[in-house]
Amino acid sequence: MHELREEELNSLRSQADIADVVGHYLSLVKKGKALSAVCPFHDDHDPSLNINTERQIYKCFVCGAGGNVFTFVRDYEKISFREAVAKVADMVGFKLSVDYAAPAIAIDPAIQRLYNVLKDSIQYTNYTLNSVQASEAKSYLKNRGIGDATIEKFAIGYNPENDELTRFLKAKGHVVEDLVKANVTRINEYGERDVFAGRITFPIHDPQGRPVGFSARTLQKDLAKYVNTAETPVYTKGKLLFNYHRARTFARQAGEMLIVEGVTDVFAFDRAGVYNVLATLGTACTKDQIRLLRQLGEKAVLCYDGDNAGQNATYKIGSLLLEAGFKLEIIPNTMGLDPDELCQKHGAEALAAFSRRRISWLDFLIEYRLKSVDLDNYSQKKEFVKVMMAEIDKVNDRFDREMLIQKISILTKLTNEQMSLLSPRKSDQNATPIQRKYGSAPSRLSKLDWAEKEILGQMLSGRSAALLFRDELGFLPQPLNNACAMTILDYYRNHNEIVLADFINTIAESEVVQLITDISNSEIYYKEYNEAALRDALTLCKTSMLDQQIERLKLESKQTDDIALRQNMAKRLEELRNEKLRLKQKTKEDLHGST
Ligand SMILES: [Zn+2]
């Protein structure tokens, strides 16, 4: 097989836009002009993968992954470079002069044999579903509303009794060792037996759409309802989601993904025309599964059963997704039917309508917690409020917070003040959006904080200090202190001096008022104009800001492979260091000048 000419490869590359190719796999987020995505190459929660459409490359600022359209497809799909070239050519409709689609270097042949075993198993079981011995299975599916279209689409099948599958696969030339490795056959004292004998089979695929195993349901009452493939070289329970490879495109288009409990729920939604649906295959969500989900977008809708197990699962998985930065909605299930049963009883239309009803995560939490709480019991009520206040504390939207607090206040007949005593962050309990935005300064900043307060104190006591600050520095590193400085500067535009009591009337933000009153109450900070002390404080702020910039730049330059960018950064770093040096010398001169 000969290779593609370089010109042809480049021509294909220029026709495949990096944003289109990455966007084929990941949902892209627009940040101003820049495009980014959640990085598939490390455990990413924020979109760290930068897509540079100008230079046609991608770059992750966290794990360092980077390259062009081909390396992206290669690394994402875990295929060879040639296969990736073929895929990209396919995507843009480019006709390659060489057939690259056939893998030149096959993935590990031992692994490929397992895929082949599973492919043939799916074909055989799917075929057998139409035989006489599968009549019970077929009528079971029919009763559950699973018709021929669904059976074909999901390649649902029946694994006959009497180890027929094993015999079929051996006749097809597979070796027993591979059958056992793929977990379709097991060997016990009676010999080689089908693992899923007498069960309806639902094939499971990996994110690349390769067959890796089965979820299999029995028709007998005394056996475990569902059995899944055991861990094999191609089937890792926590790394798979049922229907992922089919739901991927739909989830990205819809801007949300529906997460359900079982495979039959996926079928039910499919009948209702809802295709962005995945099932967690009975496991609690693992890190790997969350990573896969995050590649589909940031909004997840949970739709579990209405029973206790289902609600507990909703709570568990919801908490994990929330922690991973997902936006969450819950489909409230009060009917005691799972989506599959709902579809059977009320039809596909009703299920589609059901899937559009949503409540917020916190509304779900209130209901969920209330189930196990007796509000007439004092300590239970107290614990309930405590837990809910902690949850509410995580909510960013102030309106949402107020609504929730009011809701709980009505439920518990407690006042807002009483409830706030149970809030986890007492100092922050009445936090307004501004406090949340500014936060409180960590203690390691105390020296800097001291300098900033010194500046503010002097600005409050006289106009000259404010003007020197404006000319020499212009802003303060810490946000709340800076907001305070800006308020003071603004005031001096129309006033020659500050009369605190009057000044306070003109300030809208209560945090700024609080800070100003703190400082003006303090003997340390609030004092007469002292130029030397003020210049000291200004220099300290400047140095600290330079240090921060230098640190940031050093880090960024370490993480980039771009030589031109790195050179620019080095130049800027040099400038910053010189500036810092000048600042140091100037301070020395000032000191000598004053002595
Ligand atoms: Zn990364």
Side-chain angles (χ1 to χ4, degrees):
M1 186 191 294
H2 60 278
E3 296 289 330
L4 268 191
R5 298 222 336 270
E6 198 182 328
E7 298 84 62
E8 193 179 345
L9 197 66
N10 294 347
S11 161
L12 165 60
R13 217 259 328 117
S14 70
Q15 285 178 45
D17 187 71
I18 186 78
D20 290 343
V21 172
V22 177
H24 179 82
Y25 297 95
L26 310 172
S27 68
L28 303 182
V29 188
K30 217 168 176 166
K31 272 189 197 161
K33 265 188 173 172
L35 277 176
S36 51
V38 170
C39 177
F41 307 117
H42 79 275
D43 188 13
D44 199 8
H45 291 164
D46 294 312
S48 314
L49 192 78
N50 182 271
I51 291 105
N52 186 330
T53 48
E54 199 181 311
R55 273 180 274 171
Q56 287 292 309
I57 53 164
Y58 63 95
K59 177 81 209 164
C60 174
F61 289 116
V62 177
C63 72
N68 65 8
V69 279
F70 302 129
T71 63
F72 183 87
V73 173
R74 180 195 64 195
D75 296 343
Y76 186 91
E77 297 249 14
K78 297 189 182 72
I79 54 181
S80 71
F81 186 80
R82 301 167 67 101
E83 287 172 287
V85 170
K87 279 226 162 181
V88 172
D90 239 20
M91 270 181 224
V92 297
F94 187 99
K95 191 93 186 66
L96 288 173
S97 67
V98 182
D99 181 20
Y100 267 16
I105 317 149
I107 24 173
D108 184 352
I111 298 290
Q112 187 58 53
R113 288 206 304 272
L114 302 188
Y115 290 134
N116 295 343
V117 165
L118 287 154
K119 209 176 112 213
D120 287 340
S121 303
I122 291 169
Q123 228 166 35
Y124 185 73
T125 48
N126 183 236
Y127 169 80
T128 313
L129 188 60
N130 286 316
S131 68
V132 185
Q133 53 180 329
S135 59
E136 200 190 338
K138 192 82 190 267
S139 67
Y140 166 83
L141 292 171
K142 206 176 161 197
N143 287 337
R144 303 206 67 164
I146 299 172
D148 288 340
T150 309
I151 288 170
E152 197 185 324
K153 177 170 175 181
F154 293 92
I156 299 169
Y158 177 73
N159 189 346
E161 308 271 2
N162 306 322
D163 313 307
E164 271 181 34
L165 178 62
T166 300
R167 278 203 300 279
F168 166 80
L169 292 170
K170 277 165 75 180
K172 260 215 119 179
H174 296 289
V175 296
V176 174
E177 195 196 340
D178 286 342
L179 306 188
V180 173
K181 259 194 196 154
N183 194 230
V184 293
T185 302
R186 71 165 150 251
I187 298 173
N188 63 13
E189 65 262 48
Y190 305 109
E192 298 152 2
R193 319 307 301 249
D194 284 0
V195 169
F196 302 113
R199 286 175 182 267
I200 300 172
T201 51
F202 307 110
I204 298 170
H205 297 79
D206 67 11
Q208 286 77 39
R210 293 177 296 217
V212 292
F214 293 100
S215 184
R217 193 192 199 285
T218 183
L219 295 166
Q220 290 172 39
K221 284 203 170 64
D222 51 342
L223 289 174
K225 219 165 146 189
Y226 280 94
V227 171
N228 292 347
T229 295
E231 298 274 319
T232 75
V234 293
Y235 187 100
T236 314
K237 199 161 81 175
K239 288 189 176 173
L240 295 163
L241 288 148
F242 182 73
N243 204 37
Y244 187 89
H245 67 296
R246 294 189 198 93
R248 177 152 66 194
T249 318
F250 296 102
R252 286 195 189 118
Q253 276 165 6
E256 63 177 36
M257 63 202 95
L258 231 71
I259 303 172
V260 300
E261 213 165 324
V263 292
T264 51
D265 298 328
V266 174
F267 303 151
F269 276 113
D270 189 77
R271 294 205 294 286
V274 184
Y275 304 121
N276 52 339
V277 187
L278 316 109
T280 44
L281 288 167
T283 50
C285 239
T286 65
K287 253 192 165 165
D288 288 312
Q289 284 173 323
I290 287 176
R291 211 169 122 181
L292 284 172
L293 289 171
R294 199 67 180 78
Q295 289 171 17
L296 302 185
E298 57 171 4
K299 186 174 167 199
V301 182
L302 297 181
C303 182
Y304 279 64
D305 299 357
D307 60 9
N308 276 341
Q311 296 301 290
N312 289 342
T314 305
Y315 174 71
K316 257 193 203 150
I317 293 179
S319 306
L320 289 170
L321 291 177
L322 211 65
E323 211 173 287
F326 277 85
K327 294 195 172 102
L328 271 189
E329 276 179 3
I330 313 293
I331 296 177
N333 191 342
T334 47
M335 285 181 262
L337 300 173
D338 60 36
D340 173 38
E341 292 164 335
L342 204 129
C343 191
Q344 284 169 58
K345 286 209 173 122
H346 303 284
E349 283 287 311
L351 182 62
F354 166 79
S355 76
R356 289 189 289 269
R357 286 180 47 218
R358 310 285 173 82
I359 59 170
S360 74
W361 167 248
L362 277 157
D363 277 325
F364 163 79
L365 261 189
I366 293 175
E367 310 235 320
Y368 176 73
R369 291 278 177 198
L370 273 181
K371 273 186 196 158
S372 55
V373 168
D374 175 9
L375 287 180
D376 290 328
N377 176 307
Y378 175 79
S379 52
Q380 281 188 29
K381 177 155 108 177
K382 187 174 165 190
E383 186 55 31
F384 170 71
V385 175
K386 207 169 162 183
V387 169
M388 288 317 301
M389 291 305 278
E391 296 289 347
I392 288 171
D393 202 57
K394 297 174 198 158
V395 178
N396 277 321
D397 187 295
R398 192 172 179 191
F399 179 80
D400 289 351
R401 278 208 312 278
E402 293 297 325
M403 290 301 286
L404 288 159
I405 289 174
Q406 199 189 340
K407 203 168 189 174
I408 294 169
S409 166
I410 292 166
L411 279 169
T412 57
K413 301 186 185 72
L414 292 172
T415 65
N416 289 8
E417 289 72 36
Q418 287 167 330
M419 294 200 310
S420 70
L421 292 173
L422 296 171
S423 179
R425 285 194 289 164
K426 291 251 171 47
S427 59
D428 209 17
Q429 62 188 260
N430 295 315
T432 58
I434 225 179
Q435 250 177 7
R436 283 167 187 275
K437 197 164 95 204
Y438 295 140
S440 44
S443 56
R444 67 184 167 83
L445 290 175
S446 59
K447 204 172 163 194
L448 176 66
D449 195 46
W450 166 82
E452 292 188 37
K453 296 259 167 65
E454 168 79 28
I455 294 167
L456 289 172
Q458 288 212 31
M459 285 172 77
L460 280 170
S461 56
R463 196 160 193 261
S464 326
L467 295 182
L468 187 69
F469 162 77
R470 188 195 63 192
D471 297 342
E472 287 288 315
L473 196 62
F475 74 99
L476 294 175
Q478 299 187 70
L480 181 57
N481 289 341
N482 188 49
C484 190
M486 293 307 119
T487 310
I488 297 171
L489 273 185
D490 200 42
Y491 193 76
Y492 276 127
R493 272 196 238 178
N494 312 309
H495 303 81
N496 280 323
E497 58 169 340
I498 286 180
V499 177
L500 269 169
D502 297 337
F503 178 40
I504 286 164
N505 291 335
T506 67
I507 307 167
E509 295 172 350
S510 60
E511 293 65 37
V512 176
V513 172
Q514 210 173 339
L515 180 60
I516 282 173
T517 46
D518 278 350
I519 292 169
S520 50
N521 263 338
S522 150
E523 281 176 40
I524 308 167
Y525 298 123
Y526 191 61
K527 50 195 166 201
E528 297 290 276
Y529 180 49
N530 177 335
E531 199 191 329
L534 182 57
R535 281 191 186 278
D536 267 1
L538 289 171
T539 304
L540 205 146
C541 285
K542 274 186 207 163
T543 315
S544 145
M545 276 146 64
L546 279 172
D547 280 338
Q548 275 178 27
Q549 281 180 54
I550 288 169
E551 282 310 307
R552 223 182 6 245
L553 215 57
K554 266 163 99 182
L555 204 74
E556 276 171 22
S557 130
K558 247 185 226 161
Q559 283 165 347
T560 182
D561 286 346
D562 188 321
I563 293 170
L565 196 64
R566 203 186 266 180
Q567 277 170 348
N568 267 338
M569 285 174 167
K571 216 169 128 196
R572 178 81 190 119
L573 211 57
E574 182 74 17
E575 284 168 16
L576 290 173
R577 286 194 178 119
N578 286 337
E579 213 177 315
K580 207 180 145 188
L581 215 65
R582 271 199 302 278
L583 210 61
K584 238 187 197 164
Q585 268 163 359
K586 196 166 170 289
T587 316
K588 254 189 208 158
E589 282 163 25
D590 286 350
L591 267 175
H592 287 294
S594 62
T595 47

PDB file of all heavy atoms in Angstrom, residues 39-42 44 48-49 60-65, ligand 1:
ATOM      1  N   CYS A  39     -12.072  19.428  27.352  1.00  0.00           N
ATOM      2  CA  CYS A  39     -10.976  18.615  26.806  1.00  0.00           C
ATOM      3  C   CYS A  39     -11.247  17.125  27.011  1.00  0.00           C
ATOM      4  O   CYS A  39     -11.474  16.687  28.127  1.00  0.00           O
ATOM      5  CB  CYS A  39      -9.665  19.010  27.472  1.00  0.00           C
ATOM      6  SG  CYS A  39      -8.287  17.998  26.930  1.00  0.00           S
ATOM      7  N   PRO A  40     -11.229  16.331  25.928  1.00  0.00           N
ATOM      8  CA  PRO A  40     -11.480  14.894  26.077  1.00  0.00           C
ATOM      9  C   PRO A  40     -10.241  14.124  26.516  1.00  0.00           C
ATOM     10  O   PRO A  40     -10.309  12.943  26.766  1.00  0.00           O
ATOM     11  CB  PRO A  40     -11.900  14.472  24.669  1.00  0.00           C
ATOM     12  CG  PRO A  40     -11.194  15.424  23.767  1.00  0.00           C
ATOM     13  CD  PRO A  40     -11.035  16.730  24.526  1.00  0.00           C
ATOM     14  N   PHE A  41      -9.107  14.820  26.603  1.00  0.00           N
ATOM     15  CA  PHE A  41      -7.861  14.117  26.883  1.00  0.00           C
ATOM     16  C   PHE A  41      -7.431  14.194  28.342  1.00  0.00           C
ATOM     17  O   PHE A  41      -6.415  13.640  28.722  1.00  0.00           O
ATOM     18  CB  PHE A  41      -6.748  14.633  25.965  1.00  0.00           C
ATOM     19  CG  PHE A  41      -7.134  14.579  24.510  1.00  0.00           C
ATOM     20  CD1 PHE A  41      -7.228  15.734  23.749  1.00  0.00           C
ATOM     21  CD2 PHE A  41      -7.438  13.359  23.918  1.00  0.00           C
ATOM     22  CE1 PHE A  41      -7.612  15.675  22.412  1.00  0.00           C
ATOM     23  CE2 PHE A  41      -7.817  13.291  22.582  1.00  0.00           C
ATOM     24  CZ  PHE A  41      -7.908  14.452  21.833  1.00  0.00           C
ATOM     25  N   HIS A  42      -8.152  14.918  29.152  1.00  0.00           N
ATOM     26  CA  HIS A  42      -7.919  14.843  30.591  1.00  0.00           C
ATOM     27  C   HIS A  42      -9.257  15.038  31.297  1.00  0.00           C
ATOM     28  O   HIS A  42     -10.257  15.328  30.661  1.00  0.00           O
ATOM     29  CB  HIS A  42      -6.870  15.873  31.046  1.00  0.00           C
ATOM     30  CG  HIS A  42      -7.395  17.282  31.187  1.00  0.00           C
ATOM     31  ND1 HIS A  42      -7.490  18.158  30.144  1.00  0.00           N
ATOM     32  CD2 HIS A  42      -7.867  17.930  32.266  1.00  0.00           C
ATOM     33  CE1 HIS A  42      -7.991  19.307  30.569  1.00  0.00           C
ATOM     34  NE2 HIS A  42      -8.234  19.195  31.854  1.00  0.00           N
ATOM     35  N   ASP A  44     -11.509  16.934  32.483  1.00  0.00           N
ATOM     36  CA  ASP A  44     -11.760  18.363  32.382  1.00  0.00           C
ATOM     37  C   ASP A  44     -13.184  18.700  32.823  1.00  0.00           C
ATOM     38  O   ASP A  44     -14.121  17.988  32.489  1.00  0.00           O
ATOM     39  CB  ASP A  44     -11.571  18.796  30.920  1.00  0.00           C
ATOM     40  CG  ASP A  44     -11.357  20.285  30.780  1.00  0.00           C
ATOM     41  OD1 ASP A  44     -11.210  20.953  31.813  1.00  0.00           O
ATOM     42  OD2 ASP A  44     -11.328  20.771  29.642  1.00  0.00           O
ATOM     43  N   SER A  48     -11.331  23.654  28.578  1.00  0.00           N
ATOM     44  CA  SER A  48      -9.925  24.071  28.564  1.00  0.00           C
ATOM     45  C   SER A  48      -9.291  23.902  27.198  1.00  0.00           C
ATOM     46  O   SER A  48      -8.173  24.323  26.973  1.00  0.00           O
ATOM     47  CB  SER A  48      -9.097  23.245  29.553  1.00  0.00           C
ATOM     48  OG  SER A  48      -9.737  23.126  30.774  1.00  0.00           O
ATOM     49  N   LEU A  49     -10.014  23.215  26.321  1.00  0.00           N
ATOM     50  CA  LEU A  49      -9.461  22.961  25.000  1.00  0.00           C
ATOM     51  C   LEU A  49      -9.766  24.151  24.104  1.00  0.00           C
ATOM     52  O   LEU A  49     -10.918  24.457  23.834  1.00  0.00           O
ATOM     53  CB  LEU A  49     -10.062  21.683  24.405  1.00  0.00           C
ATOM     54  CG  LEU A  49      -9.356  21.154  23.170  1.00  0.00           C
ATOM     55  CD1 LEU A  49      -8.079  20.439  23.568  1.00  0.00           C
ATOM     56  CD2 LEU A  49     -10.255  20.199  22.412  1.00  0.00           C
ATOM     57  N   CYS A  60      -4.914  22.305  24.528  1.00  0.00           N
ATOM     58  CA  CYS A  60      -5.473  22.283  25.880  1.00  0.00           C
ATOM     59  C   CYS A  60      -4.492  22.961  26.822  1.00  0.00           C
ATOM     60  O   CYS A  60      -3.328  22.577  26.896  1.00  0.00           O
ATOM     61  CB  CYS A  60      -5.737  20.859  26.345  1.00  0.00           C
ATOM     62  SG  CYS A  60      -6.252  20.815  28.076  1.00  0.00           S
ATOM     63  N   PHE A  61      -4.965  23.961  27.519  1.00  0.00           N
ATOM     64  CA  PHE A  61      -4.081  24.712  28.399  1.00  0.00           C
ATOM     65  C   PHE A  61      -3.839  24.013  29.730  1.00  0.00           C
ATOM     66  O   PHE A  61      -3.035  24.442  30.524  1.00  0.00           O
ATOM     67  CB  PHE A  61      -4.625  26.124  28.626  1.00  0.00           C
ATOM     68  CG  PHE A  61      -4.490  26.972  27.397  1.00  0.00           C
ATOM     69  CD1 PHE A  61      -5.601  27.456  26.734  1.00  0.00           C
ATOM     70  CD2 PHE A  61      -3.232  27.243  26.877  1.00  0.00           C
ATOM     71  CE1 PHE A  61      -5.459  28.214  25.585  1.00  0.00           C
ATOM     72  CE2 PHE A  61      -3.087  28.004  25.735  1.00  0.00           C
ATOM     73  CZ  PHE A  61      -4.194  28.489  25.081  1.00  0.00           C
ATOM     74  N   VAL A  62      -4.560  22.921  29.936  1.00  0.00           N
ATOM     75  CA  VAL A  62      -4.352  22.201  31.191  1.00  0.00           C
ATOM     76  C   VAL A  62      -3.439  20.989  30.978  1.00  0.00           C
ATOM     77  O   VAL A  62      -2.388  20.882  31.593  1.00  0.00           O
ATOM     78  CB  VAL A  62      -5.699  21.772  31.814  1.00  0.00           C
ATOM     79  CG1 VAL A  62      -5.453  20.956  33.072  1.00  0.00           C
ATOM     80  CG2 VAL A  62      -6.536  23.002  32.124  1.00  0.00           C
ATOM     81  N   CYS A  63      -3.815  20.088  30.062  1.00  0.00           N
ATOM     82  CA  CYS A  63      -3.007  18.867  29.902  1.00  0.00           C
ATOM     83  C   CYS A  63      -2.001  18.990  28.775  1.00  0.00           C
ATOM     84  O   CYS A  63      -1.141  18.124  28.615  1.00  0.00           O
ATOM     85  CB  CYS A  63      -3.896  17.650  29.706  1.00  0.00           C
ATOM     86  SG  CYS A  63      -4.712  17.582  28.105  1.00  0.00           S
ATOM     87  N   GLY A  64      -2.097  20.046  27.996  1.00  0.00           N
ATOM     88  CA  GLY A  64      -1.086  20.269  26.975  1.00  0.00           C
ATOM     89  C   GLY A  64      -1.373  19.609  25.634  1.00  0.00           C
ATOM     90  O   GLY A  64      -0.637  19.816  24.673  1.00  0.00           O
ATOM     91  N   ALA A  65      -2.458  18.796  25.541  1.00  0.00           N
ATOM     92  CA  ALA A  65      -2.778  18.147  24.268  1.00  0.00           C
ATOM     93  C   ALA A  65      -2.947  19.205  23.182  1.00  0.00           C
ATOM     94  O   ALA A  65      -3.530  20.256  23.418  1.00  0.00           O
ATOM     95  CB  ALA A  65      -4.058  17.329  24.411  1.00  0.00           C
TER      96      ALA A  65
HETATM   97 ZN    ZN B   1      -6.717  18.631  28.371  1.00  0.00          ZN
END
